[in-house]
Amino acid sequence: MQDLITQGFTPPLRLADFKLAAFDMDSTLINIECIDEIADAAGKKAEVAAITEAAMRGEITDFKDSLRRRLALLKGVPVSALEQVLRERLQFNPGARELCAALKAAGLKLVLVSGGFTFFTRYVAAELGMDYVRSNELQIVDGALTGGLVMQAWGEICDGEEKRRMLLQCAAEIGATPAQTIAVGDGANDLPMMGAAGLSVAFHAKPKVREQAMVAINEGGLDRLLSVFAA
């Protein structure tokens, strides 16, 4: 398998032709699936990870259902488990900081769209200088997870369709066309936003996602993406 594959266009592209880049978080910008690591603290990682993996491969097509099933298994997990995951397990993937810094320096707006949780996206967004964030908010009562989510102004669950909506909404807000956007992800629920973007990027992704992306980074860091743009 080649370490960087491009299809549907001829490099190099001009970074100046893009105005916005949207990123998935778990296993894209960071090295873990947060929900699996929370489950590990509850002794239920195998059960939760199996559902996560099936959903990312596209074998479970209803992301909302898969997320609700996983969250139900986390009922009663203390907030301290989330703090431990953030403190001890969450790391940025190679090249994440470099790519985001380069895109911001080129004038692009950055969007973080995640089927993960605000507990983690707040930290990641602040570290990488994200301009927009959309993710799910865990419901916490008396210091423990209830197994549910908090309804937000836009809805309850950020799934693939919500990621696509957020990409297009943010693009419209800054006066960018869909063709002027980049979408980066690794799982099946990233495909809707990747399909709407002018440049779709798969990072160490599932086969189904690699096949449909215009750029597939299979080895090395996220900053490999910069090689498809003219210096």
Side-chain angles (χ1 to χ4, degrees):
M1 182 170 62
Q2 292 172 271
D3 63 353
L4 188 130
I5 299 170
T6 61
Q7 55 188 1
F9 73 99
T10 304
L13 298 174
R14 280 166 26 98
L15 199 48
D17 291 335
F18 295 90
K19 293 185 176 180
L20 180 145
F23 292 88
D24 168 54
M25 182 178 72
D26 294 46
S27 297
T28 299
L29 289 172
I30 63 174
N31 65 324
I32 57 172
E33 291 290 325
C34 291
I35 195 166
D36 293 355
E37 300 307 317
I38 298 168
D40 192 28
K44 295 180 178 177
K45 184 169 184 175
E47 293 171 77
V48 171
I51 301 172
T52 301
E53 184 70 13
M56 288 179 64
R57 285 196 303 260
E59 292 165 10
I60 298 177
T61 55
D62 187 340
F63 175 81
K64 290 184 177 181
D65 176 60
S66 80
L67 182 60
R68 288 190 179 104
R69 283 165 56 188
R70 285 175 286 171
L71 284 171
L73 293 167
L74 301 183
K75 184 177 180 180
V77 172
V79 172
S80 59
L82 278 66
E83 293 165 348
Q84 185 179 1
V85 170
L86 180 57
R87 188 174 62 249
E88 298 178 6
R89 304 192 183 190
L90 187 152
Q91 295 178 357
F92 287 95
N93 274 330
R97 291 182 185 276
E98 292 82 354
L99 175 60
C100 288
L103 295 178
K104 284 185 77 71
L108 278 75
K109 295 294 185 183
L110 304 185
V111 185
L112 179 56
V113 276
S114 174
F117 310 116
T118 56
F119 188 92
F120 303 100
T121 57
R122 276 194 290 264
Y123 169 77
V124 170
E127 287 288 309
L128 298 179
M130 294 288 166
D131 298 287
Y132 303 93
V133 186
R134 179 147 298 176
S135 58
N136 305 311
E137 186 162 357
L138 293 164
Q139 187 177 60
I140 298 169
V141 175
D142 296 330
L145 303 187
T146 66
L149 294 170
V150 175
M151 180 65 74
Q152 300 182 68
W154 50 265
E156 182 193 21
I157 294 180
C158 184
D159 60 356
E161 191 49 43
E162 186 58 37
K163 288 185 176 191
R164 177 180 176 276
R165 270 197 298 272
M166 184 65 173
L167 169 81
L168 296 175
Q169 178 187 318
C170 292
E173 195 172 303
I174 65 167
T177 65
Q180 293 173 308
T181 68
I182 301 168
V184 187
D186 72 304
N189 73 326
D190 297 316
L191 287 172
M193 73 168 179
M194 290 170 68
L199 181 65
S200 56
V201 183
F203 179 69
H204 294 219
K206 301 302 176 189
K208 182 177 179 181
V209 182
R210 284 202 305 267
E211 290 161 12
Q212 296 182 46
M214 295 167 70
V215 179
I217 301 170
N218 300 317
E219 300 288 340
L222 275 161
D223 54 342
R224 292 291 309 283
L225 177 61
L226 297 171
S227 67
V228 307
F229 296 103

